Amino acid sequence: MPKTRKIKPNFKLWFEIGESYVFGEGAYKLLEQIKEKKSISAAAKATHMSYRYAWALIKEVEKHLGEPVAKTQKGGKHGGKTEITKAGLSLLENYKRLKEIMTNACKL
Amino acid sequence: MPKTRKIKPNFKLWFEIGESYVFGEGAYKLLEQIKEKKSISAAAKATHMSYRYAWALIKEVEKHLGEPVAKTQKGGKHGGKTEITKAGLSLLENYKRLKEIMTNACKL
């Protein structure tokens, strides 16, 4: 058989605590959008998740992490603005950094 | 909740051609052992696979790759010695190199 087929490395990255899955590609994309759009519903839309799923995903991450990753302001004329917490930002940035290293390694 | 729980990155690496999975951790460990032990049955034992599964795994990789990754000598007093092909060695070494980069990145 001719060797014309191109072999491509691929990977999946996630964070765990103990043996529990805590944070992966889906939550990463969602948090990234929440950070940008300051809204869970806008972030859910941008990542093609239902609001219900996006909300459950955040709650699941928070359950394993033991603290909030996003906080929604209540009240005010434009209440409902959501901010990423320091813990959420740390997950986001560490995941992004590792993903970049791995993506670049796969291109070599 | 106290933030005493340690977050650990983890990853899965594989090679694909088109959309097809070609080579991953199982085949990597098996080929590594074949290279060392020159025997599929000894390699299967070392990686806790049945001989049948190890053989099928090699055939599956070869089917997607389009060429052999291991070749078994026939005949002779000690016939049956298995050698990794150049293509097999290339998969093995590329996987090992990428896995090392990713493992080290996860330790940072």
Side-chain angles (χ1 to χ4, degrees):
Chain A
M1 252 188 211
K3 291 196 271 176
T4 47
R5 291 184 263 178
K6 180 90 178 121
I7 300 166
K8 211 173 64 69
N10 207 343
F11 68 91
K12 188 171 146 65
L13 168 66
W14 67 92
F15 291 164
E16 53 193 31
I17 295 178
E19 298 293 295
S20 294
Y21 181 98
V22 174
F23 187 87
E25 187 68 17
Y28 164 67
K29 284 183 173 159
L30 183 64
L31 277 200
E32 209 180 25
Q33 289 297 318
I34 293 173
K35 188 188 164 204
E36 194 186 307
K37 300 194 162 61
K38 319 273 186 214
S39 150
I40 295 175
S41 69
K45 207 172 172 182
T47 51
H48 310 287
M49 292 176 194
S50 68
Y51 178 80
R52 182 197 292 252
Y53 179 75
W55 197 84
L57 183 55
I58 293 167
K59 290 299 146 193
E60 194 64 19
V61 171
E62 292 179 342
K63 189 184 82 182
H64 288 291
L65 192 66
E67 60 181 315
V69 295
K71 272 191 172 157
T72 301
Q73 275 178 22
K74 279 177 195 166
K77 211 175 176 182
H78 303 285
K81 206 176 95 166
T82 301
E83 298 277 1
I84 301 294
T85 64
K86 219 170 155 178
L89 207 60
S90 166
L91 281 178
L92 196 62
E93 285 173 356
N94 277 305
Y95 188 95
K96 191 179 180 177
R97 185 180 53 80
L98 278 179
K99 193 185 167 183
E100 271 172 12
I101 294 171
M102 292 183 178
T103 302
N104 288 334
C106 286
K107 283 180 196 157
L108 296 178
Chain B
M1 251 186 213
K3 290 196 273 175
T4 47
R5 291 184 264 178
K6 180 91 179 120
I7 300 167
K8 209 173 65 72
N10 205 344
F11 68 90
K12 188 171 146 63
L13 168 65
W14 68 91
F15 291 164
E16 54 193 30
I17 295 178
E19 298 294 296
S20 295
Y21 182 98
V22 175
F23 188 88
E25 188 67 18
Y28 164 68
K29 283 183 173 158
L30 183 64
L31 277 200
E32 209 181 24
Q33 289 297 319
I34 293 174
K35 188 187 163 204
E36 194 187 307
K37 300 193 162 61
K38 318 272 187 215
S39 151
I40 296 174
S41 69
K45 207 173 172 182
T47 51
H48 310 287
M49 293 177 194
S50 67
Y51 179 81
R52 184 197 291 253
Y53 179 74
W55 196 84
L57 183 54
I58 294 168
K59 291 298 146 195
E60 194 62 20
V61 171
E62 292 179 342
K63 189 183 81 182
H64 289 291
L65 191 65
E67 59 181 313
V69 294
K71 271 190 174 159
T72 302
Q73 275 176 24
K74 279 178 196 164
K77 212 176 175 182
H78 302 283
K81 206 177 94 166
T82 300
E83 297 278 1
I84 301 294
T85 64
K86 219 170 153 178
L89 207 61
S90 166
L91 282 177
L92 197 62
E93 285 173 357
N94 278 304
Y95 188 95
K96 191 178 180 177
R97 185 180 54 80
L98 279 178
K99 193 186 168 184
E100 271 172 12
I101 293 171
M102 293 182 177
T103 302
N104 288 335
C106 286
K107 283 178 197 158
L108 296 178

